[in-house]
Amino acid sequence: MKILVTGGCGFIGSNFIRHTLRRHPDARIINLDKLTYAGNPENLADVETDARYEFVQGDICDPATVERVFARGVDLVFNFAAETHVDRSIGDPGSFVMTDTYGVYVLLEALRRFGGARFVQISTDEVYGSIEVGAFRESDPLNPRNPYAASKAGGDRLAYAYFCTHGLPVLITRASNNLGPNQYPEKIVPLFTTNAIDDLPLPLYGDGGNVRDWLYVEDHCEALWVIAERGCVGEVYNVGGGAEITNLDLTRRILAILGKPESLIQPVVDRPGHDRRYALCCDKLRALGWTPRHDFDAALRDTVQWYVKNQAWWRKIKSGEFRKYYEAQYRGREV
Ligand code: NAD
Ligand code: DAU
């Protein structure tokens, strides 16, 4: 089976490629990745020499590149490629609109032209917006509240439109916040873990009461395969970890694992348009036979330990492009 993975050098994509090579011996993978600041070939250093894996550097917004890959024959596509950081989308939304909406259009056009492949569009729970009580179902209206979420909603609905209009075999997934190894340290779990290791402040937005539902990346990878193999085309599937906690609680747990003091918590001015709570009803996916297998506290412990053991990986990132970003992002935001 020939599989096209886009954005495979990022956090979830790299975990997914490793997972797939381990669990699906017949898989042949092409990884098409632009290598933005978030794409890191080191995430896949251990599979580089696997004959079943091939890396192609390229942009999903470039039709010629995308068509060249599709022309080689593809049975299954997982589109992970995206700009993914909400904070960056606030100051610089252009690349989000391009990759997360226009890039999906380019992939869908290639799919239309070359036909055949099942196409899994990796969307996000952020497209629903915020929910105070209860949990979003797949049939709920979308209400994205930041440029990242709105751009992802564009890609999500374009994929659906190509199913309705052209009958393309598209499936759409909406997952909650992932945690695990190889996540770029701009996101809360790796940022707070690596800052705490170095006794640096942990910049907690607002009152720390925002709630996220945490999903271990390995459980997400399993869900994507269940959806690809057993899901109905044209359908949307929520993928939630069922582990809802506030950011303050999450921060305290990270500090406790590392044996660091809570005095490292630094309240900062809130993120504009900060969604208060995400929660997903996952009955539809559970009916296909999936359930998250990893307990949240164990997953968080393993994740934190991964960053403790792999300091060379994140120290290289934090001393590069990230430094300038972090300075600009957090300067003078203390409250
Ligand atoms: P990431 O930021 O770690 O990685 C994104 C990858 O996409 C990088 O390797 C980057 O180089 C590549 N990329 C970006 N623009 C590209 C382009 N134009 N062409 C080709 N490659 C490009 O992202 P992630 O956290 O691994 O997220 C992967 C996918 O999962 C995204 O679509 C995201 O919206 C979705 N998602 C993420 C989460 C989460 O918690 N991280 C939750 C739900 C859904
Ligand atoms: O819900 C799925 C989404 O999860 C994905 O679609 C996104 O790609 C992914 O980045 C993530 O979005 P969030 O905005 O939820 O993740 P982030 O790690 O940026 O923030 C998580 C929570 O922590 C959020 O409520 C904001 C807060 N936060 C974040 C950072 C970076 C802080 O309090 N301080 C911080 O420094």
Side-chain angles (χ1 to χ4, degrees):
M1 183 176 25
K2 285 189 185 165
I3 302 169
L4 170 60
V5 172
T6 68
C9 293
F11 163 45
I12 304 174
S14 60
N15 278 280
F16 180 78
I17 288 174
R18 197 170 299 109
H19 172 95
T20 299
L21 291 171
R22 217 171 37 234
R23 295 281 196 87
H24 299 263
D26 64 326
R28 300 281 176 279
I29 300 176
I30 297 177
N31 170 18
L32 175 65
D33 195 301
K34 182 179 175 180
L35 297 184
T36 66
Y37 77 90
N40 184 352
E42 283 179 27
N43 293 350
L44 289 166
D46 54 332
V47 304
E48 245 170 26
T49 54
D50 191 315
R52 296 170 299 154
Y53 170 73
E54 182 187 346
F55 172 62
V56 175
Q57 184 169 3
D59 189 338
I60 62 162
C61 299
D62 175 22
T65 302
V66 168
E67 285 181 12
R68 256 198 311 278
V69 173
F70 272 84
R72 293 171 55 186
V74 173
D75 304 307
L76 185 55
V77 182
F78 292 92
N79 179 32
F80 293 93
E83 291 293 337
T84 61
H85 192 38
V86 173
D87 291 316
R88 294 190 194 238
S89 83
I90 294 167
D92 183 18
S95 57
F96 288 77
V97 177
M98 276 307 286
T99 295
D100 300 7
T101 302
Y102 181 81
V104 180
Y105 148 75
V106 172
L107 290 169
L108 291 166
E109 276 298 308
L111 187 69
R112 186 149 87 99
R113 181 150 170 229
F114 292 93
R118 254 163 117 83
F119 185 97
V120 181
Q121 168 60 16
I122 320 291
S123 186
T124 168
D125 64 356
E126 296 214 9
V127 298
Y128 294 115
S130 193
I131 188 165
E132 286 292 321
V133 287
F136 286 118
R137 290 181 171 276
E138 289 85 349
S139 52
D140 284 335
L142 304 190
N143 186 27
R145 300 180 67 253
N146 61 65
Y148 160 69
S151 307
K152 288 294 291 184
D156 177 316
R157 290 300 80 193
L158 258 183
Y160 180 65
Y162 273 66
F163 162 74
C164 297
T165 311
H166 301 297
L168 296 189
V170 162
L171 299 110
I172 295 148
T173 71
R174 297 182 185 146
S176 62
N177 285 63
N178 282 220
L179 77 159
N182 295 109
Q183 187 170 29
Y184 195 84
E186 64 193 348
K187 310 282 166 55
I188 191 169
V189 170
L191 177 67
F192 283 17
T193 301
T194 58
N195 277 14
I197 290 170
D198 282 347
D199 297 308
L200 293 171
L202 313 189
L204 186 63
Y205 297 167
D207 64 1
N210 300 65
V211 173
R212 296 292 182 266
D213 167 19
W214 290 94
L215 170 68
Y216 192 50
V217 68
E218 192 63 19
D219 285 327
H220 189 185
C221 294
E222 284 179 12
L224 291 173
W225 270 106
V226 168
I227 292 163
E229 292 183 327
R230 291 180 231 155
C232 281
V233 295
E235 293 293 321
V236 176
Y237 294 91
N238 288 342
V239 191
E244 275 187 50
I245 56 167
T246 64
N247 293 336
L248 178 58
D249 189 359
L250 172 71
T251 306
R252 286 184 168 143
R253 290 186 205 206
I254 292 172
L255 289 169
I257 293 168
L258 290 168
K260 297 286 183 170
E262 292 192 6
S263 56
L264 285 177
I265 299 174
Q266 171 63 68
V268 297
V269 171
D270 208 354
R271 168 189 282 176
H274 193 178
D275 287 333
R276 190 67 178 170
R277 175 171 173 264
Y278 299 140
L280 295 173
C281 167
C282 299
D283 291 351
K284 198 167 158 183
L285 178 54
R286 282 174 188 266
L288 295 183
W290 176 87
T291 187
R293 289 189 303 105
H294 292 86
D295 163 73
F296 172 70
D297 280 309
L300 184 63
R301 233 184 356 262
D302 287 354
T303 300
V304 168
Q305 287 311 330
W306 188 89
Y307 293 98
V308 169
K309 287 192 195 119
N310 291 274
Q311 299 201 16
W313 180 87
W314 57 262
R315 286 194 188 284
K316 188 168 168 192
I317 295 171
K318 280 186 123 178
S319 60
E321 179 269 358
F322 179 84
R323 253 167 100 159
K324 231 166 82 192
Y325 160 78
Y326 190 78
E327 247 301 282
Q329 177 67 16
Y330 294 102
R331 193 188 311 117
R333 250 173 97 171
E334 298 87 355
V335 290

